[in-house]
């Protein structure tokens, strides 16, 4: 089979990488844990934009690029699509379906941090589940608010911000307990999709809490798009 460059940093990508033999490459940005038990090559760090990515594809004789990065990692997805075109190799993408609001849900859609803070002004105890972005704004917390920020990065927080450095999956029971103890009045989320971090939405629904949802970024067109890991693996198996 042709040599595959898999762009990852997600649980789904790791699932794919686990099926790869030593001829293939799994690439990570270097922000999270680097798996040490894979049979394929694992490379860590940026390529240097789309030009660097195209150079890597050519130098390493890659025949197929698979973008299995997070739906909000828009820069690497754009680079992957552009570099694949430049290097004349196909680009596939795993694009997990977003969560859909259910009857009775109160989702407030926002495009960026400025819009998000405007909506949040009406609340006192937000739970942020957006990754590290809120950490850059801990000095801007309005006096009437106490934040809880759940993200991968440990951080000391401050008098009005508690940081929960933890990694999913999160269970329904665990989320119920956390929401009960902390009395959040709003949840802030990306629309990541998948089941690993979905329980917070169910608990928000149970408690009648609004969810401020950051809209998904536009992602580039690719040669083939898959919603499920299994379908992508089947398509790989079917390659000559
Ligand atoms: P991003 O803004 O789209 O990418 C920023 C730069 O990081 C890229 O231009 C590239 O550098 C490098 N990069 C990103 N992913 C890479 C990969 N798999 N292999 C090699 N280089 C990579 O990405 P981000 O939002 O910061 O996310 C970084 C990584 O974390 C992604 O791999 C993503 O799958 C994972 N992640 C992101 C989120 C999220 O909410 N954004 C959530 C969970 C996991 P160069 O331009 O130098 O090539």
């Amino acid at each position: 089979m042709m040599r595959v460059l898999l762009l990852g940093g997600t649980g789904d990508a790791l699932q794919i990488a686990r099926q790869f033999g030593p001829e293939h490459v799994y690439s990570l940005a270097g922000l999270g844990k680097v798996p040490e038990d894979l049979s394929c090559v694992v490379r860590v760090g940026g390529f240097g934009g789309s030009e660097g990515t195209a150079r890597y594809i050519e130098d390493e004789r890659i025949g197929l690029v698979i973008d299995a990065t997070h739906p909000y990692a828009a820069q690497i997805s754009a680079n992957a699509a552009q570099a694949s075109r430049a290097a004349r190799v196909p680009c596939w993408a795993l694009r997990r379906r977003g969560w859909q609001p259910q009857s009775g849900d109160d989702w407030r859609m926002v495009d960026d941090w400025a819009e998000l803070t405007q909506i949040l002004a009406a609340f006192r105890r937000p739970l942020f589940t957006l990754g590290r972005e809120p950490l850059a704004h801990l000095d801007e917390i309005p006096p009437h608010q106490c934040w809880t920020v759940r993200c991968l990065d440990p951080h000391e927080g401050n008098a009005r911000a508690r940081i929960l450095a933890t990694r999913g999956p999160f269970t329904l029971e665990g989320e119920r307990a956390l929401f009960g103890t902390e009395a959040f009045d709003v949840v802030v989320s990306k629309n990541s999709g998948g089941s690993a971090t979905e329980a917070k939405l169910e608990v928000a629904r149970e408690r009648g809490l609004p969810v401020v949802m950051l809209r998904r970024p536009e992602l580039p067109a690719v040669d083939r798009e898959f919603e499920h890991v299994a379908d992508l693996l089947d398509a790989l198996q079917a390659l000559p």
Side-chain angles (χ1 to χ4, degrees), residues 8-9 27-29 31 43 45-49 69-70 73-76 79 190:
S27 174
L28 292 165
L31 304 178
R43 69 161 300 284
F47 297 98
T69 58
H70 191 271
Q75 186 61 59
I76 185 70
N79 292 352
K190 288 179 176 171

Side-chain angles (χ1 to χ4, degrees), residues 6-10 27-31 43-50 53 68-77 79 130-132 152 190 192:
L6 171 66
L7 303 170
T10 61
S27 174
L28 292 165
L31 304 178
R43 69 161 300 284
V44 180
F47 297 98
S50 68
T53 313
T69 58
H70 191 271
Y72 286 75
Q75 186 61 59
I76 185 70
S77 294
N79 292 352
L130 285 175
R132 73 173 57 80
L152 297 180
K190 288 179 176 171
S192 301

Side-chain angles (χ1 to χ4, degrees), residues 16-17 20 23 28-30 35 46 62 75 97 107 140 155 176 178 181 187 198 209 218 220 222 225-227 233:
I16 299 168
F20 279 2
E23 69 274 32
L28 292 165
I62 301 294
Q75 186 61 59
R97 208 167 116 82
W107 284 18
E140 301 156 24
H155 189 288
R176 281 185 180 135
L178 178 70
T181 316
V187 177
E198 195 180 12
L209 301 182
E218 289 278 330
V222 289
E225 214 174 293
F226 301 85
E227 197 179 316
L233 289 174

Side-chain angles (χ1 to χ4, degrees), residues 45-222:
F47 297 98
S50 68
E51 285 175 14
T53 313
R55 243 186 337 267
Y56 182 90
I57 292 170
E58 284 161 3
D59 291 350
E60 294 295 322
R61 298 174 186 275
I62 301 294
L64 169 66
V65 174
I66 299 179
D67 173 16
T69 58
H70 191 271
Y72 286 75
Q75 186 61 59
I76 185 70
S77 294
N79 292 352
Q82 201 177 329
S84 305
R85 264 196 312 277
R88 297 174 200 276
V89 302
C91 183
W92 294 2
L94 184 70
R95 303 253 166 96
R96 194 160 66 186
R97 208 167 116 82
W99 296 310
Q100 303 295 318
Q102 297 185 15
S103 140
D105 281 353
D106 175 8
W107 284 18
R108 324 249 176 118
M109 305 302 296
V110 296
D111 282 312
D112 53 31
W113 184 261
E115 228 183 301
L116 189 156
T117 46
Q118 266 183 14
I119 291 197
L120 274 195
F123 299 93
R124 297 180 57 245
R125 296 184 65 81
L127 167 65
F128 288 89
T129 61
L130 285 175
R132 73 173 57 80
E133 187 169 7
L135 300 180
H137 300 277
L138 297 185
D139 293 337
E140 301 156 24
I141 303 178
H144 68 285
Q145 288 183 349
C146 280
W147 291 7
T148 299
V149 179
R150 185 163 69 189
C151 60
L152 297 180
D153 314 74
H155 189 288
E156 60 195 8
N158 65 28
R160 275 183 289 117
R162 180 175 173 223
I163 316 302
L164 300 178
T166 175
R167 168 186 302 273
F170 301 105
T171 64
L172 192 53
E173 294 70 30
E175 296 294 60
R176 281 185 180 135
L178 178 70
F179 278 59
T181 316
E182 299 296 332
F184 304 126
D185 57 1
V186 63
V187 177
V188 185
S189 181
K190 288 179 176 171
N191 192 349
S192 301
S195 59
T197 59
E198 195 180 12
K200 65 189 168 192
L201 298 181
E202 194 162 338
V203 179
R205 190 172 304 127
E206 287 172 1
R207 299 175 78 92
L209 301 182
V211 176
V212 180
M213 189 68 85
L214 192 61
R215 267 196 197 87
R216 282 190 170 198
E218 289 278 330
L219 295 175
V222 289

